[in-house]
Amino acid sequence: MRCDQCSSEAVTLIRYNGSHLCAEHFRTYVEKRVKKEIRKQIDVHPGDTIAVAVSGGKDSMVTLHILDTVFGERKDISLCAISIDEGIKGYRPPSLDIVRDFCKERGIASCVRSFSEMDMEMDRIASVSGENSPCTYCGVFRRKLMNDQAREIGAKYLATGHNLDDMAQSIMMNFVRGDVERLARLGPHTKIQPGLIPRFHPLRLIPEKESLLYAIVAGIPFWDGECPYYMEALRNQYRDVVDQLEDRSPGSKFSILASYDTLKPMLAEHFPPSGLRLCSCGEPTLGERCKACELRSSLEKRIKGL
Ligand code: FES
Ligand code: ZN
Ligand code: ZN
């Protein structure tokens, strides 16, 4: 099969629009859409710093790579990759090496925060996580450290690697659960809240398959190991549902996101951002204490009780 735009061999058929593209045209096709999203989602000015959440997986590495191609040359904008070491032997260290080497080669600032600074390494807490899945702790602690670090470096925005599949799954999940308020709070964030660095998602229009293919054809290194604490999560049900819809009607994932984008302004009006205060650890919170501090003290009790 030949590329629709040149005579080179096609590397992919984009099912939702029927086009065949070669490696070069596929790269341009992805980059164009990501750059457009970046322009749409953030408003940068000289002196701004953009933090990028980078785990070393394909999506975060592609996000970092494209942000670097957009802002890398600009001396007045700083990029900083933030990685989190959850304390998972054999899983996290190789991915951190990939991020470190990539950043060094490109001259991108990078830093690592660790669960160990909270004395909460995943290898230690996974066995005492009780009725909660280890991912619950992992997600909450990771978000806390990420936000904390982004705030510390004075970042104006925090980019994450969420792709179209992640977005469509989150939308469906919150719809089915009836969690409309959470639906209203999905990123990208447009309202500035004290202490909370607004997140944006350059890959939100890029299907997961395209993100993977892009990483391969662009020669971006990434880590694809699976976390040992990964469990069949509720989200996987939605992954299957969304994939089936897409299979039967190519373009469904885009439609889910487009419908959500149309509804979002109404949702935002209905659920204005609630007044956040600061937890004693410095994180913004709705109640007295942030979720990370709550989980941490329940874990400490459990560890002592063992
Ligand atoms: Fe959930 Fe690793 S702790 S995937
Ligand atoms: Zn081509
Ligand atoms: Zn706290």
Side-chain angles (χ1 to χ4, degrees):
M1 203 57 82
R2 298 274 141 199
C3 171
D4 292 347
Q5 299 182 32
C6 70
S7 55
S8 311
E9 195 175 334
V11 291
T12 185
L13 158 67
I14 310 282
R15 273 190 71 210
Y16 54 83
N17 63 17
S19 59
H20 295 89
L21 296 174
C22 68
E24 240 1 84
H25 282 112
F26 173 71
R27 276 183 72 162
T28 320
Y29 171 69
V30 170
E31 284 165 9
K32 237 183 169 169
R33 284 178 301 151
V34 176
K35 287 176 183 172
K36 194 168 159 204
E37 268 309 300
I38 295 171
R39 281 196 299 274
K40 208 164 117 187
Q41 292 180 39
I42 61 173
D43 180 26
V44 282
H45 296 282
D48 285 346
T49 295
I50 301 172
V52 192
V54 190
S55 66
K58 64 180 189 326
D59 299 314
S60 62
M61 291 300 285
V62 167
T63 302
L64 180 61
H65 162 77
I66 300 185
L67 282 169
D68 184 44
T69 59
V70 175
F71 298 110
E73 293 293 303
R74 284 187 60 172
K75 296 277 168 283
D76 55 346
I77 305 288
S78 315
L79 270 191
C80 182
I82 306 176
S83 304
I84 306 294
D85 182 351
E86 302 96 340
I88 305 175
K89 270 205 194 74
Y91 169 67
R92 188 48 77 206
S95 66
L96 292 177
D97 290 347
I98 290 175
V99 179
R100 190 200 50 227
D101 294 349
F102 182 83
C103 289
K104 206 165 157 202
E105 199 178 296
R106 300 282 190 103
I108 304 170
S110 66
C111 53
V112 180
R113 293 285 299 266
S114 303
F115 279 23
S116 61
E117 63 188 83
M118 299 186 290
D119 210 13
M120 286 287 148
E121 297 92 336
M122 282 306 290
D123 284 339
R124 220 159 60 84
I125 64 181
S127 54
V128 287
S129 61
E131 70 284 3
N132 287 328
S133 100
C135 298
T136 305
Y137 298 97
C138 195
V140 169
F141 294 152
R142 195 161 2 96
R143 272 193 298 277
K144 173 200 157 71
L145 287 179
M146 193 58 82
N147 188 55
D148 189 61
Q149 184 63 21
R151 207 173 40 221
E152 203 167 301
I153 61 171
K156 186 174 179 189
Y157 297 103
L158 172 63
T160 76
H162 291 93
N163 58 40
L164 176 65
D165 294 52
D166 298 323
M167 301 305 299
Q169 288 156 20
S170 300
I171 292 164
M172 289 293 274
M173 195 159 80
N174 289 314
F175 253 119
V176 175
R177 280 177 174 172
D179 199 344
V180 190
E181 188 160 2
R182 192 179 284 247
L183 199 59
R185 291 203 306 261
L186 288 182
H189 298 145
T190 44
K191 296 258 174 344
I192 309 286
Q193 296 229 68
L196 205 57
I197 307 303
R199 290 162 181 245
F200 74 109
H201 317 301
L203 305 189
R204 82 194 285 271
L205 287 184
I206 307 298
E208 182 163 8
K209 272 188 196 155
E210 290 180 26
S211 170
L212 174 63
L213 183 60
Y214 180 89
I216 294 168
V217 300
I220 298 166
F222 64 90
W223 169 247
D224 66 350
E226 190 172 270
C227 175
Y229 304 121
Y230 176 83
M231 297 210 292
E232 284 301 304
L234 191 62
R235 174 172 280 271
N236 291 329
Q237 293 173 15
Y238 293 95
R239 174 186 297 268
D240 293 345
V241 169
V242 170
D243 282 350
Q244 280 165 16
L245 287 172
E246 180 72 29
D247 218 41
R248 270 182 243 151
S249 327
S252 295
K253 291 175 186 171
F254 286 110
S255 307
I256 293 170
L257 191 60
S259 303
Y260 171 70
D261 284 348
T262 309
L263 293 173
K264 197 172 176 185
M266 291 173 247
L267 290 172
E269 210 172 293
H270 206 80
F271 298 101
S274 15
L276 294 178
R277 46 167 128 167
L278 289 189
C279 174
S280 56
C281 73
E283 271 303 284
T285 172
L286 270 176
E288 277 276 304
R289 284 200 306 176
C290 74
K291 190 86 187 139
C293 287
E294 258 175 36
L295 285 181
R296 198 176 155 182
S297 62
S298 79
L299 270 175
E300 271 161 0
K301 274 189 209 132
R302 216 170 285 166
I303 289 169
K304 275 188 201 135
L306 274 183

